[in-house]
Amino acid sequence: MSSSSDFQQDRHSFSGSPQKWADFELPGDTLYYRFTSDMSNTEWGYKFTVTAGHLGRFQTGFEILKQMLSEERVVPHLPLAKIWEWQVGVACRQTGHQRLKAIHLLLKIVQCSAQRDCDLTLLKPLWQLFTHMENNLCHDVTKPGILLPLHRALAELFFVTENRVTELGSLQEYLLALNTEDHLHRCTAQ
């Protein structure tokens, strides 16, 4: 497969079992492919899926959204509630640096959102991840208190969010929405 008809640009060749195939991206709007059989067996060939229309990679979207959230004159024109919902979904699904970047954008949205633009209760899965990390940190006394980048990012997100809901006068509703009934019983018992 290639992005040029002479198979010289962005060339990707595969042979053998499906485990040897890997996802890849080609620039442009055209894909050229050639299938050749060596007649060594009677299998039907290969099946592949082509997905078009990607408007950019994660990093591009992150940079654009970060810049838009940094422009005070642009923020009032953004659909913050919808962007918030999308970013929470991204932060829940992604891992590694992409999750950190999504959390960074959530933090920017909390800091620039007015009134009750965002449904903060959507943070529940990230809150559960954070409390799990906190519990593991408390139970492991052999390691020094150095936090992982994800742990630090979530701590900052929830610290800033808690301050924000306190300003809005809805701290109790927020905390009740994030916690499970079982967790609230355990905290009350303690």
Side-chain angles (χ1 to χ4, degrees), residues 30-187:
T30 305
L31 164 79
Y32 296 90
Y33 69 94
R34 183 180 314 152
F35 175 75
T36 307
S37 174
D38 63 4
M39 307 274 206
S40 63
N41 58 35
T42 58
E43 300 294 324
W44 65 272
Y46 289 100
K47 176 182 177 182
F48 57 91
T49 303
V50 177
T51 306
H54 290 285
L55 297 176
R57 301 187 54 91
F58 182 91
Q59 183 64 28
T60 303
F62 168 77
E63 292 297 334
I64 291 169
L65 192 51
K66 183 175 78 170
Q67 186 61 39
M68 289 172 54
L69 291 169
S70 299
E71 297 288 331
E72 287 183 32
R73 69 185 198 292
V74 174
V75 171
H77 303 286
L78 296 175
L80 286 181
K82 198 52 139 170
I83 294 170
W84 174 262
E85 187 179 330
W86 291 333
Q87 280 307 121
V88 169
V90 169
C92 289
R93 286 188 307 274
Q94 294 296 336
T95 58
H97 292 293
Q98 290 182 339
R99 177 178 271 173
L100 287 173
K101 288 178 179 184
I103 291 170
H104 174 78
L105 291 176
L106 289 173
L107 186 58
K108 286 186 84 59
I109 293 169
V110 167
Q111 291 169 330
C112 72
S113 64
Q115 306 286 316
R116 300 178 188 271
D117 283 337
C118 306
D119 181 0
L120 298 175
T121 63
L122 294 175
L123 291 173
K124 188 171 187 167
L126 293 175
W127 175 253
Q128 291 169 341
L129 174 63
F130 176 68
T131 56
H132 177 74
M133 294 175 96
E134 285 284 301
N135 289 337
N136 286 345
L137 184 68
C138 293
H139 291 113
D140 192 356
V141 293
T142 61
K143 293 182 181 174
I146 298 173
L147 298 181
L148 296 172
L150 175 59
H151 197 157
R152 285 195 317 267
L154 288 171
E156 184 177 7
L157 174 64
F158 287 110
F159 177 75
V160 169
T161 303
E162 185 178 320
N163 286 336
R164 187 77 176 118
V165 295
T166 301
E167 291 171 9
L168 297 171
S170 57
L171 180 61
Q172 184 174 353
E173 297 87 8
Y174 167 73
L175 292 176
L176 288 172
L178 288 186
N179 289 290
T180 63
E181 193 172 324
D182 182 51
H183 182 259
L184 293 173
H185 287 293
R186 275 197 316 269
C187 289

